[in-house]
Amino acid sequence: MTTVLLADDDQGVRTMLSIVLGTAGFEVAAHQDGESALQDALHRVPDVAVLDVSMPGMSGLDVCRVLRAHPQTAHVPIVLLTALGQWLDVSSGFDAGADDYVVKPFSPKDLLHRIERLLDPAVPHM
């Protein structure tokens, strides 16, 4: 089963995405902070990561950078999910190593489509 690492400090977003992704057939490893998500990813490498940018403590950008720097997780596709949608915010996300950047509010169906696209080896990534 394909595993999605999910980190978002908003319980409502975590619950909604866990249901959407679970219904689509993914195993979801949901975390309320970046540090626990990172520890989980290093212990059990996910197939894809969805990270909220703005979380207390370790941000999604920080988690993204560590995942990219670690040989075991450098290949994991990463989607950043955030309310920060200005050009500089998006640029910072891609500079940190993200494969995709989704601005809140978002369509769960669109996010699911983006995740599936990142997991399809026939589709070139950014």
Side-chain angles (χ1 to χ4, degrees):
M1 182 175 276
T2 303
T3 302
V4 177
L5 177 73
L6 172 62
D8 198 307
D9 60 328
D10 184 317
Q11 175 66 47
V13 172
R14 277 196 323 275
T15 299
M16 182 264 299
L17 286 179
S18 293
I19 292 168
V20 168
L21 295 169
T23 301
F26 293 103
E27 178 181 343
V28 181
H31 298 272
Q32 67 180 1
D33 61 76
E35 182 63 37
S36 65
L38 177 61
Q39 293 309 313
D40 188 17
L42 295 176
H43 174 71
R44 180 179 63 144
V45 178
D47 296 293
V48 64
V50 177
L51 308 171
D52 180 21
V53 170
S54 300
M55 293 184 286
M58 185 174 228
S59 75
L61 290 175
D62 295 333
V63 175
C64 184
R65 287 185 193 101
V66 174
L67 291 175
R68 285 291 175 247
H70 199 286
Q72 184 178 333
T73 56
H75 69 283
V76 173
I78 299 171
V79 178
L80 291 177
L81 184 65
T82 182
L84 305 173
Q86 297 298 318
W87 177 87
L88 187 56
D89 300 315
V90 176
S91 178
S92 296
F94 285 117
D95 287 348
D99 295 287
D100 205 347
Y101 195 98
V102 177
V103 178
K104 296 176 183 175
F106 62 96
S107 156
K109 184 177 179 179
D110 178 52
L111 179 63
L112 181 60
H113 174 73
R114 289 169 182 246
I115 290 169
E116 290 170 341
R117 189 187 77 232
L118 286 172
L119 291 170
D120 185 346
V123 177
H125 300 156
M126 294 180 187

